[in-house]
Amino acid sequence: MRAAIAALLLTLGLGAAHTGAASAAPPPESAAAAPPASAGLLDAMRRDLGLTPAQAEERLRAEKRAVEVEKAARQRTGAAYAGSWFDPATGRLVVAVTDRAEEAEVRALGADTRLVRHDAAALDRAKARLDGLRAPAGVAGWHVDPRSNSVVVDVVRSERRNPAVRAFVDRALAGGLVTVAETAAAPRTYAAGTVGGDPYYTGNVRCSIGFSVHGGFVTAGHCGRAGAAVRGWDGSAMGTFQGSSFPGDDYAYVSIHSGWWTVPVVLGWGTVPDQLVRGSAEAPVGASICRSGSTTRWHCGTVLAKNETVNYSQGAVHQMTKTSVCAEGGDSGGSFLSGDQAQGVTSGGWGNCSSGGQTWFQPVNEILARYGLRLHTA
């Protein structure tokens, strides 16, 4: 029984994805016939997104179609591509382009279009310029926003008149392609002090497991440094951090000892297996996304932005994905899912699951590529 529970806990947590190279193979053909999500995930979407089970299932199917359309649209439009996002109101992907001649091609793929001024490459260059600046604590982060066709700098509302914040904003605006928005609070990581019975511990920190990979699991880098020992739910030796990066990145790989093994499942905390993991296809901006963690269990929301630089007190972390999902201490490292596709591991955010907030995750495909890992899939 102990070994069985240990195996289940190995996949307990949250998840999410993105960045750079994709590593996992696409889902097998049999996955197409599988339900788009488990009952537990659909229930979380009902609670957090106000959807009926039927609406949730249809949205997941539409988002899965949008993933394929986005890949094709990016290839077709080339240098005219300016980003894309999923529109829940229509159930379709919207693709921004800088050349009117490309609109018909994109619409033929099954997407809507928006004509904009700046292409994705120009926006990425503008963001990279900000990545080279040192931001004060009152600047929460910045990201490329395809909907506004700009780089959005998020400033903590209470700090907007701070001289250092104003100086950073002025410098950002001077470079062009930048707009400024306000956010309620500064982001923080979601590690927590030791509490008996939770998924894994390193030192006096409790975090959540993200996704099983062959030989171990991936999680957040701020939960432990390379070489740190990991204890399991019962306090027994579980594994070792083989690689860890924070700040700059926020990801880690833990190898596991004998007596523990991996399964392609993400759970709601303390429940029976909930959701099979079948791949890691990246969901678009606007798509629904759900998170599972050892503190707050299942919660859902939407993808708000990608490739965001998050300005934690410990230092900036790059290439993060921002979501409207809530989280709390101890949820760090857990799994973000879109349907049955792994998205990434929980990093941090602001707020809580009583009053709401925002949470960022480190895309899982970047972690797999960084450590040469293979996602354990069903």
Side-chain angles (χ1 to χ4, degrees), residues 134-139 159-170:
R134 185 176 180 84
V139 176
E159 298 292 323
R160 65 188 186 281
R161 299 189 185 280
N162 180 292
V165 171
R166 293 178 68 173
F168 180 90
V169 168
D170 288 345

Side-chain angles (χ1 to χ4, degrees), residues 189-276:
T189 56
Y190 281 130
T194 300
V195 177
D198 285 311
Y200 84 87
Y201 310 88
T202 177
N204 67 343
V205 170
R206 168 172 62 85
C207 282
S208 298
I209 292 164
F211 293 99
S212 285
V213 296
H214 290 271
F217 63 86
V218 293
T219 187
H222 70 264
C223 291
R225 295 302 182 193
V230 172
R231 306 188 307 280
W233 64 275
D234 59 352
S236 65
M238 182 183 194
T240 305
F241 277 85
Q242 295 298 325
S244 178
S245 180
F246 180 80
D249 306 295
D250 194 7
Y251 51 62
Y253 162 51
V254 175
S255 64
I256 55 171
H257 301 325
S258 59
W260 298 82
W261 63 88
T262 65
V263 289
V265 174
V266 168
L267 308 175
W269 186 75
T271 68
V272 297
D274 193 13
Q275 181 65 50
L276 289 174

Side-chain angles (χ1 to χ4, degrees), residues 84-165:
S84 63
W85 61 94
F86 179 78
D87 184 354
T90 63
R92 291 164 62 89
L93 189 75
V94 182
V95 178
V97 293
T98 57
D99 185 348
R100 190 179 297 277
E102 301 290 346
E103 290 187 293
E105 289 271 4
V106 173
R107 288 174 183 150
L109 295 172
D112 296 326
T113 59
R114 181 177 296 178
L115 192 64
V116 297
R117 181 176 180 183
H118 308 294
D119 61 40
L123 294 172
D124 287 342
R125 287 193 297 270
K127 179 184 175 292
R129 181 178 59 82
L130 298 190
D131 286 344
L133 303 179
R134 185 176 180 84
V139 176
W142 48 93
H143 65 276
V144 171
D145 177 24
R147 286 168 289 200
S148 67
N149 197 226
S150 69
V151 177
V152 176
V153 175
D154 287 311
V155 174
V156 178
R157 189 171 298 118
S158 61
E159 298 292 323
R160 65 188 186 281
R161 299 189 185 280
N162 180 292
V165 171

